[in-house]
């Protein structure tokens, strides 16, 4: 619904049928769009509700929608997991046409990764990955050790923060990861990785690439791992299920358990396991690769 309003002196009234209105300065006339109440599965954009440090690194991709008038709409679940569920979420300014129709592109579909509540995670498993990490508040650290209710809440947010930090760091290193848009509590909004047809990119494990593409994927992965190791980080849970095949591009996902290669005493063990997992898959598809050779190449980047 569009409305025109004119500025008038206090106490006066205006006859909107007066032809003299045509002579008004256009700066005194403005349009606005009135929105209906939001429907189920919708909310106002949370972009401005989070602190600046909770937004993605600059320069931001052009597709990031920052308008305060945008509405977030849940489009359905994309994937379920042990620690979190991933949903598709559209952030759009109502009535804004897409770029191919002359609009400003104020509409984008993203992935909303939402970590589950306190009961979902194994502390024994988590402790192996989180060795070497610090919790800023001593109260929170004590709660984590006691495995109290508050400790489980802290653990949930700590894993979300860990993935957020990992995504930001990897993106800034130029690694092939989804762009991290924002974090709000235990929800991370990130880039939706699609294939050449505009559909969700499949996991590498679901694909059967031709020999040339298979070799290209491996080279991309080896280069990415070398960059990570050179910066002292290890994925920690890498496999063909944590890699997306986005056309000819390989993208690394699921980073909450990222490991400090030096600070974690099991860092090198995690790296060797990552090498073994991915080499086993590539070998099964016909590419002659060796995990120990890959591990040696990567360790040469670390020292």
């Amino acid at each position: 619904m569009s409305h025109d309003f004119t500025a008038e002196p206090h106490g006066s009234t205006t006859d909107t049928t007066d032809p003299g209105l045509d002579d008004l300065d256009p700066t005194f006339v403005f349009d606005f769009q009135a929105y209906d109440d939001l429907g189920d599965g919708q909310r106002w954009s949370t972009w401005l509700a989070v602190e600046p440090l909770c937004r993605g690194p600059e320069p931001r991709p052009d597709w990031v929608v920052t308008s305060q008038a945008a509405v977030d709409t849940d489009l359905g679940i994309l994937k379920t997991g042990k620690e979190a569920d991933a949903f598709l979420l559209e952030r759009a300014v109502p009535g804004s046409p897409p770029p191919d129709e002359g609009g400003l592109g104020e509409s984008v579909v993203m992935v909303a990764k939402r970590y589950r509540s306190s009961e979902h995670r194994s502390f024994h498993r988590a402790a192996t990955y989180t060795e070497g990490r610090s919790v800023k508040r001593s109260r929170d650290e004590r709660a984590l050790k006691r495995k109290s209710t508050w400790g489980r809440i802290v653990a949930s947010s700590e894993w979300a923060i860990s993935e957020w930090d990992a995504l930001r760091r990897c993106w800034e290193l130029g690694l092939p990861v989804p762009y991290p848009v924002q974090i709000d509590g235990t929800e991370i909004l990130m880039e939706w990785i699609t294939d050449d047809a505009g559909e969700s990119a499949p996991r590498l494990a679901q694909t059967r690439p031709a020999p040339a593409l298979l070799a290209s994927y491996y080279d991309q992965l080896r280069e990415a791992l070398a960059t990570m190791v050179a910066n002292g980080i290890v994925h920690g849970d890498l496999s063909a299920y944590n890699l997306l095949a986005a056309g000819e591009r390989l993208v690394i996902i699921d980073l909450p358990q990222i490991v400090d290669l030096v600070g974690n005493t099991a860092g090198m063990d995690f790296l060797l396991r990552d090498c073994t997992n991915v080499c086993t898959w590539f070998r099964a598809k016909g590419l002659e690769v060796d995990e120990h050779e890959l591990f040696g190449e990567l360790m040469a980047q670390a020292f």
Side-chain angles (χ1 to χ4, degrees):
M1 180 188 304
S2 180
H3 300 268
D4 287 340
F5 282 82
T6 56
E8 291 289 328
H10 179 68
S12 65
T13 60
T14 300
D15 180 1
T16 57
T17 64
D18 188 344
L21 288 176
D22 294 338
D23 298 329
L24 281 175
D25 187 329
T27 58
F28 283 83
V29 181
F30 63 92
D31 291 333
F32 75 92
Q33 183 78 19
Y35 298 150
D36 295 330
D37 291 337
L38 300 182
D40 293 339
Q42 289 187 313
R43 69 188 184 195
W44 292 109
S45 168
T46 56
W47 174 260
L48 293 179
V50 301
E51 298 180 2
L53 290 178
C54 294
R55 300 175 195 146
E58 297 181 351
R60 299 186 182 103
D62 293 339
W63 52 261
V64 176
V65 175
T66 61
S67 173
Q68 190 172 5
V71 173
D72 293 345
T73 304
D74 270 328
L75 301 180
I77 195 160
L78 179 65
K79 170 185 171 291
T80 60
K82 296 178 181 178
E83 294 89 8
D85 295 325
F87 298 80
L88 286 181
L89 179 142
E90 180 187 43
R91 174 165 290 174
V93 176
S96 174
D100 57 0
E101 296 180 10
L104 298 177
E106 293 185 301
S107 174
V108 65
V109 176
M110 301 175 288
V111 170
K113 187 170 184 179
R114 296 164 183 162
Y115 279 82
R116 296 210 199 97
S117 59
S118 53
E119 293 78 16
H120 73 279
R121 188 169 288 112
S122 164
F123 276 79
H124 177 73
R125 176 176 178 269
T128 308
Y129 290 101
T130 57
E131 180 182 341
R133 296 183 192 170
S134 61
V135 179
K136 293 181 180 179
R137 296 174 56 184
S138 58
R139 171 176 174 262
D140 293 344
E141 189 170 5
R142 291 194 300 270
L144 280 170
K145 291 179 179 178
R146 291 198 307 269
K147 305 178 184 179
S148 65
T149 299
W150 176 249
R152 294 180 182 274
I153 295 173
V154 171
S156 178
S157 61
E158 281 295 315
W159 278 69
I161 292 170
S162 176
E163 178 155 31
W164 170 254
D165 289 342
L167 283 169
R168 281 187 59 105
R169 184 175 180 184
C170 289
W171 177 266
E172 291 171 336
L173 288 172
L175 289 162
V177 297
Y179 176 77
V181 177
Q182 69 175 71
I183 182 172
D184 186 9
T186 57
E187 178 189 74
I188 300 175
L189 298 185
M190 67 184 79
E191 178 184 4
W192 178 34
I193 304 299
T194 59
D195 59 17
D196 294 336
E199 301 294 331
S200 292
R203 295 175 183 275
L204 183 61
Q206 299 170 318
T207 67
R208 293 185 177 182
L213 183 57
L214 184 70
S216 174
Y217 282 160
Y218 183 76
D219 289 341
Q220 292 178 52
L221 181 58
R222 180 172 55 187
E223 182 178 346
L225 292 177
T227 299
M228 293 177 73
V229 169
N231 287 275
I233 52 179
V234 179
H235 187 284
D237 194 27
L238 191 62
S239 73
Y241 291 94
N242 289 331
L243 296 165
L244 298 181
E248 296 184 353
R249 185 170 67 106
L250 205 63
V251 179
I252 302 171
I253 61 169
D254 293 340
L255 296 161
Q257 71 294 310
I258 196 168
V259 172
D260 188 311
L261 179 62
V262 177
N264 190 310
T265 57
M268 293 186 186
D269 293 333
F270 280 117
L271 178 59
L272 178 57
R273 189 177 71 177
D274 284 354
C275 291
T276 300
N277 288 342
V278 296
C279 284
T280 298
W281 186 87
F282 277 96
R283 212 166 32 241
K285 298 302 178 184
L287 191 65
E288 290 300 321
V289 293
D290 182 82
E291 55 266 30
H292 297 289
E293 180 179 342
L294 176 60
F295 178 78
E297 291 179 11
L298 297 177
M299 290 307 298
Q301 300 287 330
F303 301 102

